[in-house]
Amino acid sequence: MSDKLFIKGTLILTLTGLVSRLMGFFYRIFLSHTIGAQGVGIYQLTLPVHAIVLAACCMGIQAAISRLCASFTALGKEKESRDALLLGTFLSMALCGLLSFLVYWNADFVASALLKEPRTAVLLRILAFSFPFSALHSCVNSFYYARKTTGIPAFILLLEQTSRIGSTYVIYLILISQKKEITPVIAAGGALFSELTATVACMLALGLDFSRENYKPVTGLLRRILRVFFCMCKGTHRNSPSAVKYISHIPPASAKNNTATSINVLLKEIAQIAVPHSVNRLLLTLLSGIEMVLIPQRLLLSGINQTDSLSVYGIFTGMALPLILFPATLTNSASVMLMPSVASLQALGHEKKIRHVIRRTCENCFFFGGAVGCERCAAVFLPEWYLPDEFPNHTLPLDSDRTEFFAGYLAAHPEILEEIPICAIKISGSGFKSLTHRDFMGGILSLGIDRAVVGDIAVVSEAEAVVFVHERIKNYILTELTKIGRDGMKTMEI
């Protein structure tokens, strides 16, 4: 993939993501005014279930489709690319359909025992119908990402968001006209309708694409699957005459430079990519879901009543977090385009170009930190009463003066610094060897420390650097970092 295509695709997805997030932000404001912060909190409690289902049935297969379709397209194998799409989509929808059935019939148990909120049961039953449709349009989006045709997924995303807002508003008007209570059901109904709309758009896009390429999935892929299945059911040996009769049209597994197109090999390739990716995404989503469910429960233990705890949870997850994560739109778009880019270059054997694309992507993403000159930042939220009296109405200084203002203000109020779990450690070598940023970073990470708790490293000289780390690993670094390579190190907190 050329730099121009990569940048174009990233910009399209970024602009679409920004518009979609902006629409979603105002949509959440509408929900907060109609069903209240508590209602938003109840609806947000169901989202971890939706995320877990997609992580288990969709995310890994989606990555496999993007990877395989990009490779096939780069090699000019358009038919095999569409075979991978249909087979992956079929598997994803089948798995999602099974989990949808389980969620629907066990909604009361999930709501009461796991989410600790019985009022989410009806929402889970509504959302259960949307899971297969979510899987379908996610897989179709991966297919178009692999082909670098980002305009279609971008349009579908905007269409989905528009239909979500419009359908929710229509349901709201219907309930108002019938003088019925406005509940979080309107949000679940809007989500289901938006998935249906996105699915219809995906089917239309695929229909046009298949007709242009004269691709016939029913007479092609499905017949091959049925023939392989027939041989498996009969227990027929693959080399027997009857087996050859039913699967003779299936090409054999490819040699070194050819991608195998048989159903069995394609299934194996999808599984090799999808299974580890799905397990990883499932574990991450489970941990995130547990965290989200625990938030209102911990608030209850702190003395807040159930209504207020759900309200706080709804404001945090439905309003604050989307706004905080707003700048991540660009980096998310770049990551989506990076997968098919690397897959295409790998299929063509362009190893040097792969390193170039990854390096350029990482370098550009490094520009998006929390402050000027910083690449790794942590957000700190201070209450209003921390602001000094010289700023009336709690107004902040201009951007050009903020860094200097907060540096002086924090220096004059060290009690604030005590609440921020970040500390600076000075690392000094003997001076006989010149050390670079890479050397200091390698020495720290060689201790088994997670990169997430290590901030920027300011290299002062060839033998000295200052590293910003989370407070919980401070003592470990001070005691264990004694050498970088063969050079002895001294550490001290500053």
Side-chain angles (χ1 to χ4, degrees):
M1 183 195 292
S2 66
D3 287 349
K4 290 184 178 179
L5 283 176
F6 184 88
I7 294 173
K8 178 183 176 182
T10 302
L11 288 178
I12 291 176
L13 293 179
T14 300
L15 292 175
T16 306
L18 289 174
V19 174
S20 177
R21 285 173 182 254
L22 190 62
M23 294 170 64
F25 181 72
F26 287 105
Y27 173 64
R28 290 181 179 88
I29 294 177
F30 166 74
L31 288 180
S32 66
H33 283 82
T34 53
I35 61 179
Q38 181 187 9
V40 174
I42 293 173
Y43 174 70
Q44 291 290 131
L45 279 175
T46 65
L47 297 187
V49 178
H50 185 268
I52 290 172
V53 171
L54 292 186
C57 306
C58 180
M59 294 298 183
I61 296 177
Q62 181 182 357
I65 291 174
S66 180
R67 167 72 176 83
L68 293 175
C69 289
S71 299
F72 285 134
T73 303
L75 296 174
K77 298 183 177 182
E78 297 293 340
K79 185 177 183 301
E80 289 79 0
S81 175
R82 289 167 174 79
D83 284 351
L85 165 67
L86 292 183
L87 184 57
T89 303
F90 172 78
L91 292 174
S92 181
M93 290 189 67
L95 292 174
C96 270
L98 176 61
L99 288 186
S100 297
F101 176 80
L102 294 176
V103 170
Y104 182 86
W105 289 107
N106 296 279
D108 292 326
F109 170 77
V110 175
S112 301
L114 301 181
L115 301 182
K116 306 295 183 181
E117 179 51 66
R119 286 174 290 182
T120 59
V122 63
L123 305 182
L124 290 174
R125 289 191 174 92
I126 295 174
L127 292 175
F129 290 100
S130 70
F131 296 159
F133 301 116
S134 297
L136 186 144
H137 95 258
S138 296
C139 292
V140 173
N141 284 347
S142 295
F143 172 72
Y144 285 110
Y145 292 145
R147 298 172 62 84
K148 296 91 179 178
T149 311
T150 54
I152 294 177
F155 171 77
I156 292 175
L157 176 62
L158 292 179
L159 179 64
E160 179 187 2
Q161 191 72 291
T162 302
S163 63
R164 181 191 303 270
I165 297 173
S167 59
T168 301
Y169 185 67
V170 169
I171 297 173
Y172 166 76
L173 292 179
I174 293 175
L175 293 178
I176 288 293
S177 64
Q178 297 178 356
K179 297 181 180 180
K180 293 184 178 180
E181 182 184 2
I182 308 300
T183 67
V185 170
I186 65 172
L192 175 59
F193 187 82
S194 68
E195 294 294 348
L196 289 172
T197 304
T199 299
V200 172
C202 288
M203 297 300 292
L204 290 175
L206 284 181
L208 293 174
D209 180 80
F210 289 174
S211 64
R212 284 198 302 266
E213 299 294 334
N214 197 27
Y215 177 74
K216 299 178 180 180
V218 175
T219 58
L221 180 66
L222 294 181
R223 185 166 57 191
R224 291 162 63 191
I225 294 176
L226 292 175
R227 289 183 177 183
V228 172
F229 178 74
F230 175 84
C231 292
M232 294 174 62
C233 292
K234 292 293 185 180
T236 311
H237 192 273
R238 187 179 180 84
N239 295 325
S240 65
S242 58
V244 172
K245 175 183 177 181
Y246 284 100
I247 60 175
S248 59
H249 74 291
I250 300 179
S254 65
K256 183 176 181 181
N257 295 323
N258 296 318
T259 305
T261 56
S262 69
I263 300 301
N264 290 333
V265 174
L266 192 56
L267 279 172
K268 182 179 179 180
E269 291 182 345
I270 292 177
Q272 287 177 342
I273 300 172
V275 171
H277 191 85
S278 295
V279 172
N280 175 265
R281 295 293 301 180
L282 181 59
L283 291 176
L284 291 175
T285 307
L286 278 172
L287 293 174
S288 177
I290 292 172
E291 177 187 359
M292 290 302 178
V293 172
L294 284 177
I295 290 175
Q297 300 303 315
R298 299 305 98 180
L299 290 174
L300 282 173
L301 292 178
S302 68
I304 301 177
N305 60 48
Q306 186 175 17
T307 300
D308 290 341
S309 66
L310 287 174
S311 298
V312 172
Y313 175 76
I315 293 172
F316 173 67
T317 58
M319 302 292 291
L321 273 185
L323 185 61
I324 293 172
L325 298 177
F326 201 85
T329 305
L330 180 59
T331 53
N332 290 341
S333 301
S335 67
V336 169
M337 296 301 298
L338 190 60
M339 164 74 85
S341 174
V342 172
S344 300
L345 295 174
Q346 187 179 30
L348 297 173
H350 296 162
E351 298 296 331
K352 291 184 177 179
K353 289 186 178 181
I354 291 177
R355 290 192 291 269
H356 170 73
V357 170
I358 294 176
R359 185 179 67 251
R360 288 290 300 273
T361 303
C362 293
E363 288 173 352
N364 291 330
C365 289
F366 281 155
F367 283 104
F368 297 89
V372 177
C374 291
E375 295 176 356
R376 301 182 62 81
C377 306
V380 177
F381 298 90
L382 301 177
E384 293 181 353
W385 50 266
Y386 268 126
L387 292 176
D389 296 333
E390 54 265 28
F391 293 100
N393 299 323
H394 301 295
T395 57
L396 290 173
L398 297 176
D399 289 344
S400 59
D401 301 328
R402 280 187 185 176
T403 301
E404 182 179 355
F405 159 70
F406 279 111
Y409 185 63
L410 292 176
H413 297 78
E415 69 277 5
I416 300 178
L417 292 174
E418 295 177 358
E419 300 181 15
I420 301 176
I422 298 175
C423 61
I425 297 177
K426 180 181 178 182
I427 306 174
S428 303
S430 62
F432 89 93
K433 179 184 178 181
S434 297
L435 300 175
T436 63
H437 183 281
R438 179 182 298 178
D439 296 320
F440 288 109
M441 176 62 71
I444 295 172
L445 298 184
S446 66
L447 300 177
I449 296 174
D450 186 0
R451 181 68 175 94
V453 296
V454 180
D456 278 20
I457 298 177
V459 179
V460 180
S461 66
E462 295 180 348
E464 187 177 286
V466 176
V467 57
F468 297 89
V469 299
H470 196 282
E471 191 177 41
R472 69 172 181 264
I473 62 160
K474 173 188 67 176
N475 293 331
Y476 181 70
I477 294 178
L478 291 174
T479 56
E480 298 296 328
L481 186 59
T482 57
K483 281 189 176 182
I484 293 181
R486 297 182 179 179
D487 195 0
M489 293 290 121
K490 293 182 179 181
T491 57
M492 62 176 294
E493 184 179 3
I494 58 175

